[in-house]
């Protein structure tokens, strides 16, 4: 007597339920706000850079050089905000639920590097104002070495922040349900960033 044992295997579907923060981060409302912030940052800082390039007299003072550097950094932040908003809208439209850690870090790279470099440009502006008050008679002389040194440090910090956020990421081990840079960055990033941010804040306001 032959018995036919037909074993049917039903497909299993896994559903990932987003948290309230994840839902809010990918919502249309939040991303429209991102676009508004990006438009303001890009428009205002692009105009500042246009004036700086257009009028040679604006490039004659050290303070204006730092202002232009800060505007360039904030312009990158504006583009990074627009990129983040565009990516989140794409995710929302295509119902994407899981992401690789490195992809999320690269999407947030302009913001990561921009915010880190912004700490340096703000610090240089603060030190420049301090020099104007402390040594008003000597302040008028533009220090090209200081200006180019500050630019080099700003670019270095920008690149280093992105590199550090990517260091130690292993996409083969796990994935993420929230595509934000903070929770997807490498293991050392949060520690180094916390120390860097607190140090720069103390230097500016201390």
């Amino acid at each position: 007597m032959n018995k036919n044992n037909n074993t049917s295997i039903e497909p299993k579907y896994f559903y990932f339920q987003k948290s309230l923060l994840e839902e809010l981060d990918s919502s249309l409302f939040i991303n429209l706000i991102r676009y508004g912030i990006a438009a303001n940052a890009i428009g205002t800082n692009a105009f500042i850079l246009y004036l700086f390039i257009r009028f040679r007299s604006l490039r004659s003072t050290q303070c204006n050089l730092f202002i232009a550097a800060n505007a360039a950094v904030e312009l990158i932040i504006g583009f990074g905000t627009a990129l983040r908003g565009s990516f989140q809208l794409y995710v929302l439209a295509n119902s994407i639920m899981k992401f690789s850690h490195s992809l999320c870090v690269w999407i947030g790279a302009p913001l990561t590097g921009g915010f880190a470099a912004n700490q340096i440009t703000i610090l240089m502006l603060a030190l420049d104002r301090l020099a104007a008050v402390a040594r008003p008679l000597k302040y008028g002389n533009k220090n090209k070495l200081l200006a180019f040194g500050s630019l080099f440090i700003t670019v270095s910090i920008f690149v280093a922040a992105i590199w550090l956020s990517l260091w130690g990421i292993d996409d083969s081990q796990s994935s993420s349900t929230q595509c934000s840079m903070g929770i997807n960055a490498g293991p050392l990033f949060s520690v180094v960033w916390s120390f860097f941010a607190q140090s720069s804040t103390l230097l500016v306001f201390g």
Side-chain angles (χ1 to χ4, degrees):
M1 183 176 180
N2 294 326
K3 293 183 179 180
N4 295 325
N5 294 326
N6 296 325
T7 304
S8 61
I9 301 176
E10 296 181 358
K12 295 182 179 180
Y13 299 94
F14 297 92
Y15 298 93
F16 297 92
Q17 186 174 3
K18 289 186 176 182
S19 66
L20 178 61
L21 180 61
E22 292 169 344
E23 290 285 355
L24 186 63
D25 183 64
S26 61
S27 67
L28 178 62
F29 176 72
I30 291 298
N31 286 292
L32 289 177
I33 292 178
R34 284 193 176 110
Y35 275 122
I37 295 172
N40 179 66
I42 293 171
T44 54
N45 289 291
F47 182 67
I48 291 173
L49 290 174
Y50 165 76
L51 294 177
F52 184 78
I53 296 171
R54 176 68 176 80
F55 299 101
R56 185 181 180 87
S57 59
L58 293 178
R59 302 194 295 271
S60 61
T61 62
Q62 183 172 284
C63 180
N64 286 346
L65 292 175
F66 293 142
I67 291 175
N70 188 68
V73 169
E74 292 188 354
L75 182 65
I76 294 174
I77 292 175
F79 281 115
T81 304
L83 174 63
R84 176 74 188 281
S86 299
F87 179 75
Q88 289 294 346
L89 289 178
Y90 176 81
V91 167
L92 184 64
N94 292 275
S95 301
I96 301 174
M97 303 294 291
K98 299 193 73 176
F99 314 91
S100 67
H101 299 293
S102 57
L103 171 64
C104 296
V105 172
W106 276 116
I107 292 296
L111 291 175
T112 303
F115 285 134
N118 190 236
Q119 300 284 329
I120 302 300
T121 55
I122 291 175
L123 175 61
M124 296 313 300
L125 280 169
L127 292 176
D128 180 79
R129 295 297 84 200
L130 176 63
V133 174
R135 297 183 177 181
L137 298 179
K138 295 183 179 180
Y139 172 74
N141 300 325
K142 184 171 66 174
N143 191 330
K144 292 184 178 181
L145 180 61
L146 177 62
F148 285 109
S150 302
L151 178 61
F152 175 78
I153 293 174
T154 301
V155 174
S156 299
I157 291 295
F158 180 89
V159 174
I162 296 175
W163 176 83
L164 185 63
S165 65
L166 288 165
W167 185 85
I169 292 179
D170 187 1
D171 289 327
S172 64
Q173 297 295 323
S174 62
S175 58
S176 177
T177 58
Q178 183 180 357
C179 199
S180 63
M181 198 288 304
I183 64 173
N184 290 286
L188 287 179
F189 179 79
S190 60
V191 177
V192 176
W193 173 258
S194 177
F195 176 78
F196 171 75
Q198 292 180 27
S199 299
S200 59
T201 302
L202 286 174
L203 288 173
V204 172
F205 298 104

